[in-house]
Amino acid sequence: MADPIVAILMGSKSDYDLMRPASETLAELGVPHVVRVLSAHRTPEATAEVARTGRDKGLKVFICAAGGAAHLAGAVAAQTTLPVIGVPLARTPLAGADALYATVQMPAGMPVATVAIDGAVNAALLAAQILAVSDLGLARKLAERRAASAARVAADDASLPGKP
Ligand code: RP5
């Protein structure tokens, strides 16, 4: 596999079930990526180091997912000018609303592109779309994926009775 250009960071291994679809989506699109467990709270130094050195190591986009006290995306954004996509996870009794607020409400100057609660697939697709700005092959794959999705909707529509 080529060197990773996307890093999927999760605050805990317990997040992996919710984030596996991001890795699967990137794999389907042929985007080399790495999945790491790094915590803003439990391993702050290691997290900062990975964020700081990412660009020099060839990374182009970070995807950061966390559920409890979800500061990971912001902590990474503080250390890099690479694009950071935040994925708030429904991991606490607050069903992800706390993670959403913690991830999305970044102060001016430190952007995190936050997707929906548990939005792993969209995080991967957004990362791919960022990469596809300068990768026509990837742009074509994304367009094919959308065409397939539209065809599925049309087929679902056609399968239901009661049309005039
Ligand atoms: C967050 O706390 C992690 O991202 C995870 O969603 C949550 C709970 O982590 P564990 O206690 O399961 O390791 O930092």
Side-chain angles (χ1 to χ4, degrees):
M1 189 75 161
D3 288 340
I5 55 176
V6 175
I8 300 174
L9 312 186
M10 304 171 298
S12 170
K13 181 109 185 268
S14 66
D15 296 328
Y16 189 50
D17 59 333
L18 292 174
M19 288 309 293
R20 187 183 281 113
S23 178
E24 290 169 348
T25 301
L26 290 174
E28 283 164 21
L29 291 166
V31 175
H33 61 284
V34 63
V35 184
R36 302 278 312 267
V37 175
L38 284 162
S39 167
H41 310 284
R42 292 165 174 160
T43 60
E45 301 299 338
T47 301
E49 173 74 5
V50 165
R52 262 197 302 268
T53 59
R55 186 186 291 277
D56 288 344
K57 291 184 174 160
L59 291 178
K60 296 188 173 172
V61 183
F62 281 103
I63 295 173
C64 299
H71 299 132
L72 182 60
V76 169
Q79 303 288 346
T80 182
T81 54
L82 291 175
V84 176
I85 300 168
V87 189
L89 299 177
R91 275 284 175 227
T92 72
L94 298 174
D98 51 334
L100 172 64
Y101 290 163
T103 304
V104 77
Q105 286 294 346
M106 291 296 291
M110 291 290 152
V112 166
T114 304
V115 296
I117 295 169
D118 296 345
V121 170
N122 270 1
L125 291 174
L126 181 55
Q129 289 181 202
I130 291 168
L131 297 167
V133 167
S134 57
D135 182 338
L136 280 183
L138 185 53
R140 218 167 284 128
K141 284 184 200 172
L142 286 164
E144 285 165 10
R145 197 181 163 101
R146 289 208 177 179
S149 154
R152 273 194 304 275
V153 172
D156 286 348
D157 181 46
S159 74
L160 295 175
K163 284 185 212 51

